[in-house]
Amino acid sequence: MKRWLALLCAVCLLFCVGCQRQAEPPEVEEKPIWEPEVPKTMDLTALLTREEVEKAFPNVTFGEGQLQEHDTLWLFSTEDYTTQVSLMVKEPAVTAAEYILVLAGQYPAGSLIEAPQLGESAYWCGDSGELLVAEGKYVISLSVQCTTLDAESRLIIARSLVLNVLERLEKKQ
């Protein structure tokens, strides 16, 4: 009887040890939760030139433009980085006007003001120095950063530069 009891305990012990081993999950192909949007290639260098940026800022010298963020950002900077101009142009899946409303929702309430007479719709954020413009199938984001200029002066510069970009985009269509 003791043998049977010992055998029963040993079987139970083996059964418990076997149950504690967790089954390995089936192999699943790992995919990132978020896959970045592959931007359509657009030659940003043809939309805004260094000469136009320097003309907008009298007595300021900028370095050569630099493509950044997988060629989706065209950036001009002074040597000391106190003044910068950046340009992004997107072709969203929704209409440009709808997309710009989504972008506008990402800014703090009251920080955007309408910028009339630019594209179908346009908004200016003086805090960040960013001008958002929807025109046709394009959304343009032009940012002007300058430590020596107020928001109104930066808006004037941004408007003049965006007009150049809009003119060139119109020729592409």
Side-chain angles (χ1 to χ4, degrees), residues 100 104 107-116 118 121-128 130-133 151-152 155-156 159:
I100 207 163
Y107 289 84
S111 65
L112 288 180
I113 59 169
E114 204 166 340
L118 278 176
S121 62
Y123 296 93
W124 168 252
C125 179
D127 295 340
S128 65
E130 187 172 14
L131 182 59
L132 302 170
V133 180
E152 187 176 328
L155 172 58
I156 292 168
R159 286 180 70 88

Side-chain angles (χ1 to χ4, degrees), residues 114-169:
E114 204 166 340
Q117 300 173 348
L118 278 176
E120 295 168 16
S121 62
Y123 296 93
W124 168 252
C125 179
D127 295 340
S128 65
E130 187 172 14
L131 182 59
L132 302 170
V133 180
E135 176 61 35
K137 61 183 179 178
Y138 300 108
V139 172
I140 302 162
S141 169
L142 191 129
S143 175
V144 175
Q145 306 298 318
C146 183
T147 57
T148 60
L149 295 176
D150 62 3
E152 187 176 328
S153 300
R154 290 182 292 145
L155 172 58
I156 292 168
I157 290 170
R159 286 180 70 88
S160 69
L161 295 173
V162 162
L163 287 172
N164 294 333
V165 173
L166 287 170
E167 185 179 308
R168 290 191 178 104
L169 284 175

Side-chain angles (χ1 to χ4, degrees), residues 3 50 63 76-77 83 104 107 171-172:
R3 286 186 190 166
R50 176 182 173 185
F76 294 92
S77 296
T83 306
Y107 289 84
K171 290 178 183 176
K172 285 182 160 242

Side-chain angles (χ1 to χ4, degrees), residues 2-147:
K2 290 183 182 178
R3 286 186 190 166
W4 285 106
L5 191 56
L7 181 61
L8 182 62
C9 287
V11 169
C12 287
L13 183 62
L14 287 174
F15 182 73
C16 290
V17 170
C19 289
Q20 287 180 352
R21 285 190 7 197
Q22 297 178 0
E24 293 183 23
E27 288 187 30
V28 177
E29 183 181 333
E30 289 187 32
K31 292 183 181 178
I33 294 171
W34 176 82
E35 292 187 24
E37 175 185 324
V38 178
K40 295 182 180 180
T41 304
M42 178 176 292
D43 184 13
L44 295 176
T45 63
L47 297 177
L48 187 63
T49 66
R50 176 182 173 185
E51 291 76 23
E52 290 166 333
V53 173
E54 286 183 339
K55 183 178 176 185
F57 287 89
N59 304 320
V60 178
T61 303
F62 286 84
E64 291 297 320
Q66 299 174 354
L67 284 170
Q68 297 183 349
E69 296 183 27
H70 305 288
D71 296 343
T72 61
L73 177 75
W74 185 223
L75 176 69
F76 294 92
S77 296
T78 56
E79 191 174 292
D80 60 0
Y81 296 101
T82 57
T83 306
Q84 296 183 8
V85 174
S86 63
L87 171 69
M88 293 181 82
V89 179
K90 293 186 177 208
E91 285 185 62
V94 297
T95 67
E98 290 171 332
Y99 188 79
I100 207 163
L101 288 175
V102 171
L103 285 178
Q106 297 174 4
Y107 289 84
S111 65
L112 288 180
I113 59 169
E114 204 166 340
Q117 300 173 348
L118 278 176
E120 295 168 16
S121 62
Y123 296 93
W124 168 252
C125 179
D127 295 340
S128 65
E130 187 172 14
L131 182 59
L132 302 170
V133 180
E135 176 61 35
K137 61 183 179 178
Y138 300 108
V139 172
I140 302 162
S141 169
L142 191 129
S143 175
V144 175
Q145 306 298 318
C146 183
T147 57

